[in-house]
Amino acid sequence: MNESLKIAGNQNCFMGKPKQLEITTTPNGKGEEQMRDYNMNGTLIIGCDHGYGNIKTAHFCFKASAEASETAPIFSKDYVKYEDKYYVISEGHKSFLADKIADDDYYILTLAAIAKELELRGLHEAKIHLAVGLPLKWVKAQRESFKSYLLRNRYVDFEYRDKKYLVELVDCTVMPQCYSAVAETLKEFTGINMLVDIGNGTMNIMYLNDRRAMENKSWTEKFGVNQCAIRIRNKVLDETGTNLMDDVIERFLRTGVTKVDEPYNSLIINAAAEYVAEIFAKLKDYEYNDKLMNLHIMGGGHKLVETVGEYNPDKTFFITDICATAKGYEYYCYMGLRRQNQNR
């Protein structure tokens, strides 16, 4: 990429006088809620939650899949064209990799996420500060390498859905998953609270004590929703000889409804219940006690727990917004940058 590439001035004030710190809200086009922009000196903060199953931004969720091709796809319009290659988005799931920089997939998926957020705002050029995260126990070890991976090119021109985009990636802040999802509402977390973020590949667990994160009480388990999907597929195959379609499993994981007849319905629910029971067994290993603390469950696995789990309804809460972590990244990043700006 040519580092001498320059981006023309636009409403984000690239080349002109920098804007002050600001948060702006604009209608989302549906008339139901407001879209909030975090801007820092003319730079748009975009949060991106790089899951193994899905990529989430503040306003979008799509499958974490980027299939490369030398030629344009025939049917799909949901693709990124970058450096003369085409990458079809959202037709599958990303395989679990402990190190997210092992291939180019997350870089391409980040470009797709940026394009979706810019398109929502009617922009095709932007100066961007990325706000991203990693599992709790991997942040320290992988923060710098993940940041360098995403910032490999300062200026990036690419196409998405046949539209050209030109962005300047000014910086990237890498934050801890789980905690970021509640950063904006932290004042509400009085007493002892356990946060559990169940993603596709990992489950993150941490404690909050009167709104304060407990550094020595946070863990990452490779026990995400994909483990449940494997159990469901194996149980149905063992009991009926049927290889269950991925779409059937994913619909159940997402909605809690199978939409299939017996015996498949019962087999799916039983496998899911076994998985959720093991989740609670793992939580007890980390001293979870529903008489002493509140439990907050988030991520793609929250629907499973809500549907087939056995829990104390008075002290168990579900964060149902799948984009909560990406929104939290933006808020967390903005507040950190604002403090830096005030201390200068």
Side-chain angles (χ1 to χ4, degrees), residues 93-233:
H93 280 299
K94 176 72 175 166
S95 299
F96 180 85
L97 288 173
D99 191 345
K100 293 187 176 182
I101 67 173
D103 56 34
D104 288 337
D105 286 5
Y106 280 112
Y107 185 78
I108 298 300
L109 291 165
T110 302
L111 297 183
I114 290 171
K116 287 176 180 289
E117 287 290 324
L118 293 185
E119 184 178 43
L120 184 65
R121 295 163 172 81
L123 298 174
H124 291 90
E125 296 182 4
K127 186 176 181 181
I128 292 169
H129 185 123
L130 286 172
V132 303
L134 288 169
L136 292 169
K137 283 302 181 181
W138 301 351
V139 175
K140 287 183 179 179
Q142 297 183 15
R143 175 184 280 127
E144 291 306 316
S145 60
F146 194 45
K147 178 177 178 178
S148 297
Y149 170 83
L150 293 174
L151 297 180
R152 63 174 72 176
N153 297 305
R154 184 177 180 93
Y155 301 96
V156 188
D157 59 337
F158 63 99
E159 294 181 21
Y160 179 69
R161 292 184 182 272
D162 294 328
K163 295 179 181 177
K164 293 184 178 181
Y165 291 88
L166 178 59
V167 299
E168 180 182 358
L169 300 179
V170 176
D171 205 348
C172 176
T173 300
V174 183
M175 294 156 282
Q177 290 176 2
C178 198
Y179 178 76
S180 298
V182 302
E184 197 165 358
T185 56
L186 203 55
K187 64 181 180 181
E188 300 173 10
F189 288 79
T190 56
I192 303 296
N193 293 270
M194 175 181 270
L195 308 183
V196 182
D197 184 357
I198 309 171
N200 192 67
T202 60
M203 179 171 69
N204 289 287
I205 306 162
M206 70 176 298
Y207 278 91
L208 294 179
N209 183 4
D210 282 331
R211 300 177 292 275
R212 291 182 294 105
M214 302 175 71
E215 185 78 21
N216 64 340
K217 285 188 173 292
S218 61
W219 305 272
T220 296
E221 288 264 0
K222 186 185 173 183
F223 198 66
V225 176
N226 186 55
Q227 296 295 317
C228 184
I230 292 171
R231 292 182 183 210
I232 290 173
R233 185 177 292 105

Side-chain angles (χ1 to χ4, degrees), residues 65-76:
S65 174
E67 297 292 333
S69 173
E70 298 292 335
T71 58
I74 297 174
F75 299 108
S76 177

Side-chain angles (χ1 to χ4, degrees), residues 283-298:
L283 297 186
K284 288 179 181 178
D285 288 342
Y286 295 115
E287 302 179 354
Y288 169 63
N289 185 327
D290 65 359
K291 294 180 175 60
L292 298 176
M293 62 193 67
N294 291 325
L295 177 65
H296 304 265
I297 301 177
M298 65 194 80

